[in-house]
PDB file of all heavy atoms in Angstrom:
ATOM      1  N   LEU A   1      -3.224  -0.733   1.921  1.00  0.00           N
ATOM      2  CA  LEU A   1      -3.909  -1.364   3.044  1.00  0.00           C
ATOM      3  C   LEU A   1      -4.696  -2.579   2.562  1.00  0.00           C
ATOM      4  O   LEU A   1      -4.785  -3.600   3.243  1.00  0.00           O
ATOM      5  CB  LEU A   1      -4.856  -0.361   3.706  1.00  0.00           C
ATOM      6  CG  LEU A   1      -4.210   0.845   4.388  1.00  0.00           C
ATOM      7  CD1 LEU A   1      -5.286   1.791   4.892  1.00  0.00           C
ATOM      8  CD2 LEU A   1      -3.306   0.405   5.527  1.00  0.00           C
ATOM      9  N   ALA A   2      -5.271  -2.451   1.382  1.00  0.00           N
ATOM     10  CA  ALA A   2      -6.050  -3.554   0.833  1.00  0.00           C
ATOM     11  C   ALA A   2      -5.166  -4.746   0.508  1.00  0.00           C
ATOM     12  O   ALA A   2      -5.557  -5.904   0.669  1.00  0.00           O
ATOM     13  CB  ALA A   2      -6.793  -3.093  -0.406  1.00  0.00           C
ATOM     14  N   MET A   3      -3.957  -4.476   0.038  1.00  0.00           N
ATOM     15  CA  MET A   3      -3.027  -5.557  -0.257  1.00  0.00           C
ATOM     16  C   MET A   3      -2.733  -6.350   1.011  1.00  0.00           C
ATOM     17  O   MET A   3      -2.682  -7.576   1.016  1.00  0.00           O
ATOM     18  CB  MET A   3      -1.721  -4.977  -0.817  1.00  0.00           C
ATOM     19  CG  MET A   3      -0.661  -6.018  -1.141  1.00  0.00           C
ATOM     20  SD  MET A   3      -1.057  -6.964  -2.622  1.00  0.00           S
ATOM     21  CE  MET A   3      -0.748  -5.735  -3.881  1.00  0.00           C
ATOM     22  N   ASP A   4      -2.585  -5.605   2.134  1.00  0.00           N
ATOM     23  CA  ASP A   4      -2.320  -6.266   3.401  1.00  0.00           C
ATOM     24  C   ASP A   4      -3.588  -6.915   3.964  1.00  0.00           C
ATOM     25  O   ASP A   4      -3.612  -8.079   4.324  1.00  0.00           O
ATOM     26  CB  ASP A   4      -1.788  -5.253   4.421  1.00  0.00           C
ATOM     27  CG  ASP A   4      -0.433  -4.722   4.012  1.00  0.00           C
ATOM     28  OD1 ASP A   4       0.202  -5.331   3.150  1.00  0.00           O
ATOM     29  OD2 ASP A   4      -0.010  -3.691   4.562  1.00  0.00           O
ATOM     30  N   GLY A   5      -4.643  -6.105   4.077  1.00  0.00           N
ATOM     31  CA  GLY A   5      -5.859  -6.584   4.733  1.00  0.00           C
ATOM     32  C   GLY A   5      -6.879  -7.182   3.788  1.00  0.00           C
ATOM     33  O   GLY A   5      -7.932  -7.625   4.225  1.00  0.00           O
ATOM     34  N   ALA A   6      -6.580  -7.202   2.510  1.00  0.00           N
ATOM     35  CA  ALA A   6      -7.461  -7.783   1.495  1.00  0.00           C
ATOM     36  C   ALA A   6      -8.808  -7.081   1.429  1.00  0.00           C
ATOM     37  O   ALA A   6      -9.817  -7.699   1.152  1.00  0.00           O
ATOM     38  CB  ALA A   6      -7.651  -9.276   1.744  1.00  0.00           C
ATOM     39  N   ALA A   7      -8.821  -5.764   1.689  1.00  0.00           N
ATOM     40  CA  ALA A   7     -10.089  -5.046   1.652  1.00  0.00           C
ATOM     41  C   ALA A   7     -10.593  -4.868   0.228  1.00  0.00           C
ATOM     42  O   ALA A   7     -11.696  -5.294  -0.112  1.00  0.00           O
ATOM     43  CB  ALA A   7      -9.934  -3.688   2.326  1.00  0.00           C
ATOM     44  N   ILE A   8      -9.774  -4.237  -0.611  1.00  0.00           N
ATOM     45  CA  ILE A   8     -10.228  -3.970  -1.970  1.00  0.00           C
ATOM     46  C   ILE A   8     -10.325  -5.249  -2.802  1.00  0.00           C
ATOM     47  O   ILE A   8     -11.334  -5.469  -3.496  1.00  0.00           O
ATOM     48  CB  ILE A   8      -9.311  -2.931  -2.655  1.00  0.00           C
ATOM     49  CG1 ILE A   8      -9.280  -1.638  -1.826  1.00  0.00           C
ATOM     50  CG2 ILE A   8      -9.782  -2.647  -4.069  1.00  0.00           C
ATOM     51  CD1 ILE A   8     -10.637  -0.998  -1.647  1.00  0.00           C
ATOM     52  N   PRO A   9      -9.314  -6.135  -2.794  1.00  0.00           N
ATOM     53  CA  PRO A   9      -9.448  -7.354  -3.593  1.00  0.00           C
ATOM     54  C   PRO A   9     -10.648  -8.205  -3.199  1.00  0.00           C
ATOM     55  O   PRO A   9     -11.149  -8.969  -4.014  1.00  0.00           O
ATOM     56  CB  PRO A   9      -8.137  -8.108  -3.307  1.00  0.00           C
ATOM     57  CG  PRO A   9      -7.170  -7.050  -2.949  1.00  0.00           C
ATOM     58  CD  PRO A   9      -7.971  -6.048  -2.190  1.00  0.00           C
ATOM     59  N   LEU A  10     -11.093  -8.072  -1.951  1.00  0.00           N
ATOM     60  CA  LEU A  10     -12.222  -8.883  -1.501  1.00  0.00           C
ATOM     61  C   LEU A  10     -13.548  -8.127  -1.550  1.00  0.00           C
ATOM     62  O   LEU A  10     -14.544  -8.604  -1.025  1.00  0.00           O
ATOM     63  CB  LEU A  10     -11.972  -9.397  -0.084  1.00  0.00           C
ATOM     64  CG  LEU A  10     -11.006 -10.594  -0.003  1.00  0.00           C
ATOM     65  CD1 LEU A  10     -10.713 -10.945   1.433  1.00  0.00           C
ATOM     66  CD2 LEU A  10     -11.588 -11.797  -0.722  1.00  0.00           C
ATOM     67  N   LEU A  11     -13.558  -6.960  -2.164  1.00  0.00           N
ATOM     68  CA  LEU A  11     -14.823  -6.232  -2.254  1.00  0.00           C
ATOM     69  C   LEU A  11     -15.861  -7.047  -3.017  1.00  0.00           C
ATOM     70  O   LEU A  11     -17.005  -7.198  -2.587  1.00  0.00           O
ATOM     71  CB  LEU A  11     -14.616  -4.884  -2.937  1.00  0.00           C
ATOM     72  CG  LEU A  11     -13.901  -3.808  -2.110  1.00  0.00           C
ATOM     73  CD1 LEU A  11     -13.824  -2.520  -2.910  1.00  0.00           C
ATOM     74  CD2 LEU A  11     -14.598  -3.581  -0.791  1.00  0.00           C
ATOM     75  N   ALA A  12     -15.457  -7.558  -4.145  1.00  0.00           N
ATOM     76  CA  ALA A  12     -16.398  -8.353  -4.940  1.00  0.00           C
ATOM     77  C   ALA A  12     -16.812  -9.618  -4.188  1.00  0.00           C
ATOM     78  O   ALA A  12     -17.984 -10.003  -4.191  1.00  0.00           O
ATOM     79  CB  ALA A  12     -15.771  -8.717  -6.279  1.00  0.00           C
ATOM     80  N   LEU A  13     -15.846 -10.259  -3.538  1.00  0.00           N
ATOM     81  CA  LEU A  13     -16.171 -11.455  -2.770  1.00  0.00           C
ATOM     82  C   LEU A  13     -17.106 -11.104  -1.613  1.00  0.00           C
ATOM     83  O   LEU A  13     -18.004 -11.873  -1.275  1.00  0.00           O
ATOM     84  CB  LEU A  13     -14.884 -12.092  -2.229  1.00  0.00           C
ATOM     85  CG  LEU A  13     -13.882 -12.576  -3.282  1.00  0.00           C
ATOM     86  CD1 LEU A  13     -12.660 -13.189  -2.603  1.00  0.00           C
ATOM     87  CD2 LEU A  13     -14.531 -13.598  -4.198  1.00  0.00           C
ATOM     88  N   GLY A  14     -16.848  -9.924  -0.990  1.00  0.00           N
ATOM     89  CA  GLY A  14     -17.704  -9.499   0.108  1.00  0.00           C
ATOM     90  C   GLY A  14     -19.139  -9.313  -0.323  1.00  0.00           C
ATOM     91  O   GLY A  14     -20.072  -9.521   0.455  1.00  0.00           O
ATOM     92  N   MET A  15     -19.333  -8.961  -1.567  1.00  0.00           N
ATOM     93  CA  MET A  15     -20.685  -8.720  -2.057  1.00  0.00           C
ATOM     94  C   MET A  15     -21.470 -10.009  -2.261  1.00  0.00           C
ATOM     95  O   MET A  15     -22.697  -9.992  -2.358  1.00  0.00           O
ATOM     96  CB  MET A  15     -20.631  -7.925  -3.364  1.00  0.00           C
ATOM     97  CG  MET A  15     -20.073  -6.514  -3.190  1.00  0.00           C
ATOM     98  SD  MET A  15     -19.895  -5.606  -4.734  1.00  0.00           S
ATOM     99  CE  MET A  15     -21.614  -5.331  -5.165  1.00  0.00           C
ATOM    100  N   ILE A  16     -20.759 -11.141  -2.318  1.00  0.00           N
ATOM    101  CA  ILE A  16     -21.484 -12.396  -2.509  1.00  0.00           C
ATOM    102  C   ILE A  16     -21.393 -13.315  -1.288  1.00  0.00           C
ATOM    103  O   ILE A  16     -21.930 -14.403  -1.304  1.00  0.00           O
ATOM    104  CB  ILE A  16     -20.956 -13.154  -3.753  1.00  0.00           C
ATOM    105  CG1 ILE A  16     -19.472 -13.490  -3.591  1.00  0.00           C
ATOM    106  CG2 ILE A  16     -21.189 -12.356  -5.013  1.00  0.00           C
ATOM    107  CD1 ILE A  16     -18.925 -14.332  -4.726  1.00  0.00           C
ATOM    108  N   CYS A  17     -20.703 -12.848  -0.236  1.00  0.00           N
ATOM    109  CA  CYS A  17     -20.602 -13.666   0.976  1.00  0.00           C
ATOM    110  C   CYS A  17     -21.829 -13.530   1.858  1.00  0.00           C
ATOM    111  O   CYS A  17     -22.110 -14.406   2.659  1.00  0.00           O
ATOM    112  CB  CYS A  17     -19.358 -13.269   1.787  1.00  0.00           C
ATOM    113  SG  CYS A  17     -17.834 -13.955   1.145  1.00  0.00           S
ATOM    114  N   GLY A  18     -22.519 -12.421   1.786  1.00  0.00           N
ATOM    115  CA  GLY A  18     -23.678 -12.236   2.657  1.00  0.00           C
ATOM    116  C   GLY A  18     -23.930 -10.773   2.952  1.00  0.00           C
ATOM    117  O   GLY A  18     -23.210  -9.877   2.491  1.00  0.00           O
ATOM    118  N   ARG A  19     -24.947 -10.535   3.772  1.00  0.00           N
ATOM    119  CA  ARG A  19     -25.384  -9.167   4.049  1.00  0.00           C
ATOM    120  C   ARG A  19     -24.309  -8.339   4.765  1.00  0.00           C
ATOM    121  O   ARG A  19     -24.045  -7.191   4.390  1.00  0.00           O
ATOM    122  CB  ARG A  19     -26.646  -9.212   4.923  1.00  0.00           C
ATOM    123  CG  ARG A  19     -27.192  -7.841   5.285  1.00  0.00           C
ATOM    124  CD  ARG A  19     -28.306  -7.920   6.297  1.00  0.00           C
ATOM    125  NE  ARG A  19     -27.823  -8.382   7.601  1.00  0.00           N
ATOM    126  CZ  ARG A  19     -28.593  -8.501   8.673  1.00  0.00           C
ATOM    127  NH1 ARG A  19     -29.886  -8.227   8.580  1.00  0.00           N
ATOM    128  NH2 ARG A  19     -28.098  -8.912   9.828  1.00  0.00           N
ATOM    129  N   THR A  20     -23.678  -8.904   5.781  1.00  0.00           N
ATOM    130  CA  THR A  20     -22.743  -8.116   6.588  1.00  0.00           C
ATOM    131  C   THR A  20     -21.493  -7.757   5.809  1.00  0.00           C
ATOM    132  O   THR A  20     -20.955  -6.650   5.954  1.00  0.00           O
ATOM    133  CB  THR A  20     -22.362  -8.882   7.875  1.00  0.00           C
ATOM    134  OG1 THR A  20     -23.522  -9.490   8.438  1.00  0.00           O
ATOM    135  CG2 THR A  20     -21.750  -7.942   8.884  1.00  0.00           C
ATOM    136  N   THR A  21     -21.007  -8.677   4.982  1.00  0.00           N
ATOM    137  CA  THR A  21     -19.844  -8.341   4.157  1.00  0.00           C
ATOM    138  C   THR A  21     -20.205  -7.292   3.112  1.00  0.00           C
ATOM    139  O   THR A  21     -19.362  -6.459   2.753  1.00  0.00           O
ATOM    140  CB  THR A  21     -19.285  -9.599   3.456  1.00  0.00           C
ATOM    141  OG1 THR A  21     -20.337 -10.253   2.740  1.00  0.00           O
ATOM    142  CG2 THR A  21     -18.687 -10.553   4.469  1.00  0.00           C
ATOM    143  N   LEU A  22     -21.426  -7.320   2.637  1.00  0.00           N
ATOM    144  CA  LEU A  22     -21.885  -6.285   1.700  1.00  0.00           C
ATOM    145  C   LEU A  22     -21.914  -4.921   2.390  1.00  0.00           C
ATOM    146  O   LEU A  22     -21.532  -3.906   1.805  1.00  0.00           O
ATOM    147  CB  LEU A  22     -23.273  -6.637   1.173  1.00  0.00           C
ATOM    148  CG  LEU A  22     -23.897  -5.650   0.173  1.00  0.00           C
ATOM    149  CD1 LEU A  22     -23.011  -5.513  -1.051  1.00  0.00           C
ATOM    150  CD2 LEU A  22     -25.299  -6.113  -0.223  1.00  0.00           C
ATOM    151  N   ILE A  23     -22.339  -4.911   3.663  1.00  0.00           N
ATOM    152  CA  ILE A  23     -22.322  -3.666   4.439  1.00  0.00           C
ATOM    153  C   ILE A  23     -20.890  -3.161   4.602  1.00  0.00           C
ATOM    154  O   ILE A  23     -20.604  -1.972   4.449  1.00  0.00           O
ATOM    155  CB  ILE A  23     -22.985  -3.892   5.817  1.00  0.00           C
ATOM    156  CG1 ILE A  23     -24.489  -4.123   5.646  1.00  0.00           C
ATOM    157  CG2 ILE A  23     -22.728  -2.701   6.751  1.00  0.00           C
ATOM    158  CD1 ILE A  23     -25.192  -4.550   6.915  1.00  0.00           C
ATOM    159  N   ALA A  24     -19.970  -4.085   4.924  1.00  0.00           N
ATOM    160  CA  ALA A  24     -18.571  -3.710   5.086  1.00  0.00           C
ATOM    161  C   ALA A  24     -18.019  -3.116   3.797  1.00  0.00           C
ATOM    162  O   ALA A  24     -17.330  -2.085   3.800  1.00  0.00           O
ATOM    163  CB  ALA A  24     -17.742  -4.929   5.504  1.00  0.00           C
ATOM    164  N   THR A  25     -18.342  -3.755   2.694  1.00  0.00           N
ATOM    165  CA  THR A  25     -17.877  -3.277   1.397  1.00  0.00           C
ATOM    166  C   THR A  25     -18.453  -1.903   1.080  1.00  0.00           C
ATOM    167  O   THR A  25     -17.727  -0.977   0.685  1.00  0.00           O
ATOM    168  CB  THR A  25     -18.273  -4.265   0.293  1.00  0.00           C
ATOM    169  OG1 THR A  25     -17.638  -5.513   0.528  1.00  0.00           O
ATOM    170  CG2 THR A  25     -17.878  -3.746  -1.076  1.00  0.00           C
ATOM    171  N   GLY A  26     -19.756  -1.764   1.256  1.00  0.00           N
ATOM    172  CA  GLY A  26     -20.412  -0.492   0.951  1.00  0.00           C
ATOM    173  C   GLY A  26     -19.896   0.644   1.806  1.00  0.00           C
ATOM    174  O   GLY A  26     -19.617   1.742   1.310  1.00  0.00           O
ATOM    175  N   PHE A  27     -19.758   0.379   3.104  1.00  0.00           N
ATOM    176  CA  PHE A  27     -19.263   1.420   4.002  1.00  0.00           C
ATOM    177  C   PHE A  27     -17.835   1.817   3.642  1.00  0.00           C
ATOM    178  O   PHE A  27     -17.486   3.002   3.627  1.00  0.00           O
ATOM    179  CB  PHE A  27     -19.316   0.929   5.454  1.00  0.00           C
ATOM    180  CG  PHE A  27     -18.769   1.931   6.442  1.00  0.00           C
ATOM    181  CD1 PHE A  27     -19.540   3.001   6.858  1.00  0.00           C
ATOM    182  CD2 PHE A  27     -17.483   1.801   6.931  1.00  0.00           C
ATOM    183  CE1 PHE A  27     -19.034   3.939   7.750  1.00  0.00           C
ATOM    184  CE2 PHE A  27     -16.968   2.719   7.828  1.00  0.00           C
ATOM    185  CZ  PHE A  27     -17.744   3.788   8.246  1.00  0.00           C
ATOM    186  N   GLY A  28     -16.998   0.822   3.341  1.00  0.00           N
ATOM    187  CA  GLY A  28     -15.612   1.113   2.984  1.00  0.00           C
ATOM    188  C   GLY A  28     -15.512   1.980   1.751  1.00  0.00           C
ATOM    189  O   GLY A  28     -14.741   2.954   1.720  1.00  0.00           O
ATOM    190  N   VAL A  29     -16.283   1.653   0.719  1.00  0.00           N
ATOM    191  CA  VAL A  29     -16.227   2.410  -0.538  1.00  0.00           C
ATOM    192  C   VAL A  29     -16.792   3.814  -0.363  1.00  0.00           C
ATOM    193  O   VAL A  29     -16.161   4.816  -0.748  1.00  0.00           O
ATOM    194  CB  VAL A  29     -16.988   1.662  -1.645  1.00  0.00           C
ATOM    195  CG1 VAL A  29     -17.116   2.541  -2.894  1.00  0.00           C
ATOM    196  CG2 VAL A  29     -16.282   0.359  -1.991  1.00  0.00           C
ATOM    197  N   ILE A  30     -17.971   3.909   0.231  1.00  0.00           N
ATOM    198  CA  ILE A  30     -18.642   5.206   0.356  1.00  0.00           C
ATOM    199  C   ILE A  30     -17.837   6.155   1.234  1.00  0.00           C
ATOM    200  O   ILE A  30     -17.608   7.322   0.880  1.00  0.00           O
ATOM    201  CB  ILE A  30     -20.067   5.025   0.924  1.00  0.00           C
ATOM    202  CG1 ILE A  30     -20.954   4.297  -0.093  1.00  0.00           C
ATOM    203  CG2 ILE A  30     -20.680   6.374   1.287  1.00  0.00           C
ATOM    204  CD1 ILE A  30     -22.306   3.885   0.442  1.00  0.00           C
ATOM    205  N   THR A  31     -17.373   5.667   2.380  1.00  0.00           N
ATOM    206  CA  THR A  31     -16.653   6.539   3.308  1.00  0.00           C
ATOM    207  C   THR A  31     -15.297   6.949   2.745  1.00  0.00           C
ATOM    208  O   THR A  31     -14.856   8.086   2.942  1.00  0.00           O
ATOM    209  CB  THR A  31     -16.477   5.842   4.670  1.00  0.00           C
ATOM    210  OG1 THR A  31     -17.745   5.344   5.118  1.00  0.00           O
ATOM    211  CG2 THR A  31     -15.945   6.812   5.711  1.00  0.00           C
ATOM    212  N   SER A  32     -14.626   6.047   2.046  1.00  0.00           N
ATOM    213  CA  SER A  32     -13.358   6.412   1.404  1.00  0.00           C
ATOM    214  C   SER A  32     -13.565   7.537   0.396  1.00  0.00           C
ATOM    215  O   SER A  32     -12.791   8.507   0.348  1.00  0.00           O
ATOM    216  CB  SER A  32     -12.746   5.201   0.699  1.00  0.00           C
ATOM    217  OG  SER A  32     -12.411   4.182   1.609  1.00  0.00           O
ATOM    218  N   CYS A  33     -14.610   7.418  -0.398  1.00  0.00           N
ATOM    219  CA  CYS A  33     -14.892   8.456  -1.403  1.00  0.00           C
ATOM    220  C   CYS A  33     -15.235   9.787  -0.738  1.00  0.00           C
ATOM    221  O   CYS A  33     -14.789  10.857  -1.194  1.00  0.00           O
ATOM    222  CB  CYS A  33     -16.039   8.010  -2.304  1.00  0.00           C
ATOM    223  SG  CYS A  33     -15.630   6.615  -3.384  1.00  0.00           S
ATOM    224  N   LEU A  34     -15.992   9.738   0.351  1.00  0.00           N
ATOM    225  CA  LEU A  34     -16.366  10.969   1.043  1.00  0.00           C
ATOM    226  C   LEU A  34     -15.141  11.668   1.633  1.00  0.00           C
ATOM    227  O   LEU A  34     -14.985  12.888   1.519  1.00  0.00           O
ATOM    228  CB  LEU A  34     -17.374  10.657   2.162  1.00  0.00           C
ATOM    229  CG  LEU A  34     -18.785  10.298   1.705  1.00  0.00           C
ATOM    230  CD1 LEU A  34     -19.644   9.883   2.896  1.00  0.00           C
ATOM    231  CD2 LEU A  34     -19.432  11.469   0.974  1.00  0.00           C
ATOM    232  N   ILE A  35     -14.253  10.905   2.262  1.00  0.00           N
ATOM    233  CA  ILE A  35     -13.063  11.494   2.880  1.00  0.00           C
ATOM    234  C   ILE A  35     -12.126  12.057   1.819  1.00  0.00           C
ATOM    235  O   ILE A  35     -11.618  13.182   1.940  1.00  0.00           O
ATOM    236  CB  ILE A  35     -12.345  10.456   3.757  1.00  0.00           C
ATOM    237  CG1 ILE A  35     -13.191  10.165   5.005  1.00  0.00           C
ATOM    238  CG2 ILE A  35     -10.951  10.940   4.162  1.00  0.00           C
ATOM    239  CD1 ILE A  35     -12.619   9.111   5.910  1.00  0.00           C
ATOM    240  N   LEU A  36     -11.892  11.274   0.773  1.00  0.00           N
ATOM    241  CA  LEU A  36     -10.987  11.734  -0.282  1.00  0.00           C
ATOM    242  C   LEU A  36     -11.571  12.914  -1.054  1.00  0.00           C
ATOM    243  O   LEU A  36     -10.832  13.740  -1.586  1.00  0.00           O
ATOM    244  CB  LEU A  36     -10.665  10.591  -1.237  1.00  0.00           C
ATOM    245  CG  LEU A  36      -9.767   9.486  -0.670  1.00  0.00           C
ATOM    246  CD1 LEU A  36      -9.682   8.319  -1.638  1.00  0.00           C
ATOM    247  CD2 LEU A  36      -8.383  10.013  -0.360  1.00  0.00           C
ATOM    248  N   GLY A  37     -12.900  12.990  -1.101  1.00  0.00           N
ATOM    249  CA  GLY A  37     -13.532  14.089  -1.816  1.00  0.00           C
ATOM    250  C   GLY A  37     -13.694  15.339  -0.974  1.00  0.00           C
ATOM    251  O   GLY A  37     -13.275  16.424  -1.365  1.00  0.00           O
ATOM    252  N   ALA A  38     -14.277  15.183   0.227  1.00  0.00           N
ATOM    253  CA  ALA A  38     -14.589  16.341   1.065  1.00  0.00           C
ATOM    254  C   ALA A  38     -13.390  16.840   1.861  1.00  0.00           C
ATOM    255  O   ALA A  38     -13.309  18.022   2.205  1.00  0.00           O
ATOM    256  CB  ALA A  38     -15.743  15.998   2.014  1.00  0.00           C
ATOM    257  N   TYR A  39     -12.463  15.938   2.188  1.00  0.00           N
ATOM    258  CA  TYR A  39     -11.317  16.326   3.021  1.00  0.00           C
ATOM    259  C   TYR A  39      -9.998  15.981   2.336  1.00  0.00           C
ATOM    260  O   TYR A  39      -9.068  15.497   2.968  1.00  0.00           O
ATOM    261  CB  TYR A  39     -11.398  15.631   4.379  1.00  0.00           C
ATOM    262  CG  TYR A  39     -12.558  16.089   5.227  1.00  0.00           C
ATOM    263  CD1 TYR A  39     -13.732  15.361   5.291  1.00  0.00           C
ATOM    264  CD2 TYR A  39     -12.482  17.284   5.944  1.00  0.00           C
ATOM    265  CE1 TYR A  39     -14.805  15.787   6.058  1.00  0.00           C
ATOM    266  CE2 TYR A  39     -13.539  17.726   6.717  1.00  0.00           C
ATOM    267  CZ  TYR A  39     -14.701  16.971   6.768  1.00  0.00           C
ATOM    268  OH  TYR A  39     -15.754  17.410   7.526  1.00  0.00           O
TER     269      TYR A  39
END
Protein backbone atom coordinates (compact mmCIF):
# COMPACT_ATOMS: atom_id res chain seq x y z
CA LEU A 1 0.00 0.00 0.00
CA ALA A 2 2.88 2.32 0.79
CA MET A 3 4.42 1.70 -2.61
CA ASP A 4 1.15 2.82 -4.17
CA GLY A 5 0.13 5.55 -1.75
CA ALA A 6 3.65 6.52 -0.65
CA ALA A 7 2.74 6.09 3.01
CA ILE A 8 5.84 4.37 4.33
CA PRO A 9 8.41 5.98 2.00
CA LEU A 10 7.03 9.38 2.99
CA LEU A 11 7.01 8.75 6.73
CA ALA A 12 10.29 10.54 7.18
CA LEU A 13 9.21 13.33 4.85
CA GLY A 14 5.92 13.58 6.75
CA MET A 15 7.85 14.19 9.93
CA ILE A 16 9.48 17.30 8.50
CA CYS A 17 6.54 18.69 6.50
CA GLY A 18 4.62 19.93 9.52
CA ARG A 19 2.40 19.04 12.44
CA THR A 20 -0.45 17.37 10.54
CA THR A 21 1.81 15.12 8.48
CA LEU A 22 3.57 14.13 11.70
CA ILE A 23 0.16 13.18 13.13
CA ALA A 24 -0.59 11.14 10.01
CA THR A 25 2.74 9.38 10.30
CA GLY A 26 2.38 8.69 14.01
CA PHE A 27 -1.16 7.41 13.72
CA GLY A 28 -0.25 5.16 10.79
CA VAL A 29 2.70 3.59 12.60
CA ILE A 30 1.06 3.19 16.00
CA THR A 31 -2.24 1.81 14.72
CA SER A 32 -0.53 -0.60 12.32
CA CYS A 33 1.55 -1.99 15.18
CA LEU A 34 -1.51 -2.31 17.43
CA ILE A 35 -3.55 -4.18 14.80
CA LEU A 36 -0.71 -6.48 13.79
CA GLY A 37 0.10 -7.14 17.44
CA ALA A 38 -3.30 -7.39 19.13
CA TYR A 39 -5.29 -8.81 16.19
